[in-house]
Amino acid sequence: EAGVAQSPRYKIIEKRQSVAFWCNPISGHATLYWYQQILGQGPKLLIQFQNNGVVDDSQLPKDRFSAERLKGVDSTLKIQPAKLEDSAVYLCASSLEVGWDNEQFFGPGTRLTVL
Amino acid sequence: AQSVSQHNHHVILSEAASLELGCNYSYGGTVNLFWYVQYPGQHLQLLLKYFSGDPLVKGIKGFEAEFIKSKFSFNLRKPSVQWSDTAEYFCAVNPVNRDDKIIFGKGTRLHILP
């Protein structure tokens, strides 16, 4: 079974530029999550999708971050414009259904450096 | 706000030593509890979880964790560690019926000396 795929694996941009990350969850997984992991911290949930609908985006900085999952499969996370403090690893995860009793499977992450 | 504390940021042990990693959380209601592990160069993966029932939970690779409600703790243990247990370990808490989020601790980096 293929795991959660993310691209790119690494990205370096200058502040005020825009960046987008892509995630392809495990086939058949209805729930998709985006996390931000700043160096020395644990992952922080940014947004959770159930199919193509948003379940929770309360921790997403909506002035600069946006995410979509238009067809209920792949998802993109965008930052526009980026700030220095956005430097982090962005993790995508998926699970079969919504609910924390469903195991999350994580992708390799995208490491973003904002200069 | 709810928080998760992992007291040890970096732990170094020799092979065959016993391991206990601390995890405390700050929420008085019902919680679901998790330990995740990230081996070098690999993805974050679930080690074990507690939802209800027996507070002593067994996970993969000989790990176990005990939920002590009165102490708001969910410590991870292994009686005899191996070099392959070198990894970063994250405790996570889901406060049930309170925002229904998952909150991760800062992680503990475990280094096992061969």
Side-chain angles (χ1 to χ4, degrees), chain B residues 77-88:
Chain B
R77 300 194 293 246
K78 185 170 183 178
S80 176
V81 294
Q82 300 172 304
W83 178 78
S84 58
D85 293 325
T86 295
E88 189 158 19

PDB file of all heavy atoms in Angstrom, chain B residues 77-88:
ATOM      1  N   ARG B  77       6.989   3.464  28.512  1.00  0.00           N
ATOM      2  CA  ARG B  77       8.013   2.619  29.134  1.00  0.00           C
ATOM      3  C   ARG B  77       8.440   1.498  28.191  1.00  0.00           C
ATOM      4  O   ARG B  77       7.677   1.061  27.322  1.00  0.00           O
ATOM      5  CB  ARG B  77       7.486   1.996  30.430  1.00  0.00           C
ATOM      6  CG  ARG B  77       7.062   3.006  31.481  1.00  0.00           C
ATOM      7  CD  ARG B  77       6.890   2.348  32.820  1.00  0.00           C
ATOM      8  NE  ARG B  77       5.761   1.419  32.830  1.00  0.00           N
ATOM      9  CZ  ARG B  77       4.665   1.597  33.542  1.00  0.00           C
ATOM     10  NH1 ARG B  77       4.513   2.697  34.257  1.00  0.00           N
ATOM     11  NH2 ARG B  77       3.712   0.698  33.541  1.00  0.00           N
ATOM     12  N   LYS B  78       9.665   1.061  28.407  1.00  0.00           N
ATOM     13  CA  LYS B  78      10.152  -0.150  27.759  1.00  0.00           C
ATOM     14  C   LYS B  78      11.190  -0.753  28.693  1.00  0.00           C
ATOM     15  O   LYS B  78      12.118  -0.055  29.118  1.00  0.00           O
ATOM     16  CB  LYS B  78      10.749   0.145  26.381  1.00  0.00           C
ATOM     17  CG  LYS B  78      11.145  -1.121  25.629  1.00  0.00           C
ATOM     18  CD  LYS B  78      11.507  -0.843  24.180  1.00  0.00           C
ATOM     19  CE  LYS B  78      11.813  -2.146  23.449  1.00  0.00           C
ATOM     20  NZ  LYS B  78      12.141  -1.956  22.013  1.00  0.00           N
ATOM     21  N   PRO B  79      11.063  -2.023  29.036  1.00  0.00           N
ATOM     22  CA  PRO B  79      11.964  -2.610  30.042  1.00  0.00           C
ATOM     23  C   PRO B  79      13.417  -2.730  29.595  1.00  0.00           C
ATOM     24  O   PRO B  79      14.320  -2.633  30.428  1.00  0.00           O
ATOM     25  CB  PRO B  79      11.359  -3.998  30.315  1.00  0.00           C
ATOM     26  CG  PRO B  79      10.399  -4.257  29.217  1.00  0.00           C
ATOM     27  CD  PRO B  79      10.001  -2.957  28.627  1.00  0.00           C
ATOM     28  N   SER B  80      13.640  -2.907  28.293  1.00  0.00           N
ATOM     29  CA  SER B  80      15.006  -3.099  27.819  1.00  0.00           C
ATOM     30  C   SER B  80      15.119  -2.524  26.409  1.00  0.00           C
ATOM     31  O   SER B  80      14.575  -3.090  25.460  1.00  0.00           O
ATOM     32  CB  SER B  80      15.357  -4.597  27.823  1.00  0.00           C
ATOM     33  OG  SER B  80      16.648  -4.816  27.287  1.00  0.00           O
ATOM     34  N   VAL B  81      15.801  -1.396  26.290  1.00  0.00           N
ATOM     35  CA  VAL B  81      15.857  -0.724  24.990  1.00  0.00           C
ATOM     36  C   VAL B  81      16.927  -1.331  24.093  1.00  0.00           C
ATOM     37  O   VAL B  81      17.902  -1.941  24.552  1.00  0.00           O
ATOM     38  CB  VAL B  81      16.111   0.793  25.148  1.00  0.00           C
ATOM     39  CG1 VAL B  81      14.919   1.448  25.827  1.00  0.00           C
ATOM     40  CG2 VAL B  81      17.410   1.065  25.904  1.00  0.00           C
ATOM     41  N   GLN B  82      16.718  -1.119  22.796  1.00  0.00           N
ATOM     42  CA  GLN B  82      17.678  -1.579  21.794  1.00  0.00           C
ATOM     43  C   GLN B  82      18.195  -0.370  21.019  1.00  0.00           C
ATOM     44  O   GLN B  82      17.540   0.690  20.991  1.00  0.00           O
ATOM     45  CB  GLN B  82      16.978  -2.548  20.823  1.00  0.00           C
ATOM     46  CG  GLN B  82      16.401  -3.773  21.491  1.00  0.00           C
ATOM     47  CD  GLN B  82      15.565  -4.589  20.526  1.00  0.00           C
ATOM     48  OE1 GLN B  82      14.619  -4.093  19.928  1.00  0.00           O
ATOM     49  NE2 GLN B  82      15.908  -5.856  20.391  1.00  0.00           N
ATOM     50  N   TRP B  83      19.314  -0.549  20.353  1.00  0.00           N
ATOM     51  CA  TRP B  83      19.889   0.531  19.557  1.00  0.00           C
ATOM     52  C   TRP B  83      18.866   1.053  18.538  1.00  0.00           C
ATOM     53  O   TRP B  83      18.791   2.248  18.260  1.00  0.00           O
ATOM     54  CB  TRP B  83      21.152   0.029  18.866  1.00  0.00           C
ATOM     55  CG  TRP B  83      21.790   1.040  17.987  1.00  0.00           C
ATOM     56  CD1 TRP B  83      22.563   2.091  18.350  1.00  0.00           C
ATOM     57  CD2 TRP B  83      21.680   1.093  16.560  1.00  0.00           C
ATOM     58  NE1 TRP B  83      22.958   2.819  17.251  1.00  0.00           N
ATOM     59  CE2 TRP B  83      22.434   2.217  16.129  1.00  0.00           C
ATOM     60  CE3 TRP B  83      21.041   0.310  15.600  1.00  0.00           C
ATOM     61  CZ2 TRP B  83      22.555   2.572  14.788  1.00  0.00           C
ATOM     62  CZ3 TRP B  83      21.159   0.663  14.267  1.00  0.00           C
ATOM     63  CH2 TRP B  83      21.916   1.786  13.880  1.00  0.00           C
ATOM     64  N   SER B  84      18.023   0.157  18.025  1.00  0.00           N
ATOM     65  CA  SER B  84      17.043   0.543  17.007  1.00  0.00           C
ATOM     66  C   SER B  84      15.904   1.405  17.566  1.00  0.00           C
ATOM     67  O   SER B  84      15.062   1.890  16.805  1.00  0.00           O
ATOM     68  CB  SER B  84      16.449  -0.705  16.342  1.00  0.00           C
ATOM     69  OG  SER B  84      15.846  -1.535  17.318  1.00  0.00           O
ATOM     70  N   ASP B  85      15.868   1.590  18.871  1.00  0.00           N
ATOM     71  CA  ASP B  85      14.853   2.465  19.463  1.00  0.00           C
ATOM     72  C   ASP B  85      15.262   3.936  19.402  1.00  0.00           C
ATOM     73  O   ASP B  85      14.489   4.817  19.816  1.00  0.00           O
ATOM     74  CB  ASP B  85      14.588   2.070  20.925  1.00  0.00           C
ATOM     75  CG  ASP B  85      13.944   0.704  21.048  1.00  0.00           C
ATOM     76  OD1 ASP B  85      13.130   0.342  20.174  1.00  0.00           O
ATOM     77  OD2 ASP B  85      14.271  -0.010  22.027  1.00  0.00           O
ATOM     78  N   THR B  86      16.462   4.203  18.921  1.00  0.00           N
ATOM     79  CA  THR B  86      16.893   5.591  18.736  1.00  0.00           C
ATOM     80  C   THR B  86      15.910   6.306  17.824  1.00  0.00           C
ATOM     81  O   THR B  86      15.678   5.886  16.688  1.00  0.00           O
ATOM     82  CB  THR B  86      18.311   5.627  18.120  1.00  0.00           C
ATOM     83  OG1 THR B  86      19.234   5.074  19.058  1.00  0.00           O
ATOM     84  CG2 THR B  86      18.714   7.044  17.769  1.00  0.00           C
ATOM     85  N   ALA B  87      15.298   7.365  18.329  1.00  0.00           N
ATOM     86  CA  ALA B  87      14.231   8.043  17.597  1.00  0.00           C
ATOM     87  C   ALA B  87      13.770   9.251  18.403  1.00  0.00           C
ATOM     88  O   ALA B  87      14.247   9.492  19.512  1.00  0.00           O
ATOM     89  CB  ALA B  87      13.043   7.102  17.396  1.00  0.00           C
ATOM     90  N   GLU B  88      12.827   9.983  17.829  1.00  0.00           N
ATOM     91  CA  GLU B  88      12.168  11.051  18.584  1.00  0.00           C
ATOM     92  C   GLU B  88      10.752  10.599  18.907  1.00  0.00           C
ATOM     93  O   GLU B  88      10.044  10.063  18.049  1.00  0.00           O
ATOM     94  CB  GLU B  88      12.146  12.356  17.790  1.00  0.00           C
ATOM     95  CG  GLU B  88      11.669  13.537  18.615  1.00  0.00           C
ATOM     96  CD  GLU B  88      12.111  14.881  18.078  1.00  0.00           C
ATOM     97  OE1 GLU B  88      12.475  14.962  16.891  1.00  0.00           O
ATOM     98  OE2 GLU B  88      12.064  15.864  18.850  1.00  0.00           O
TER      99      GLU B  88
END
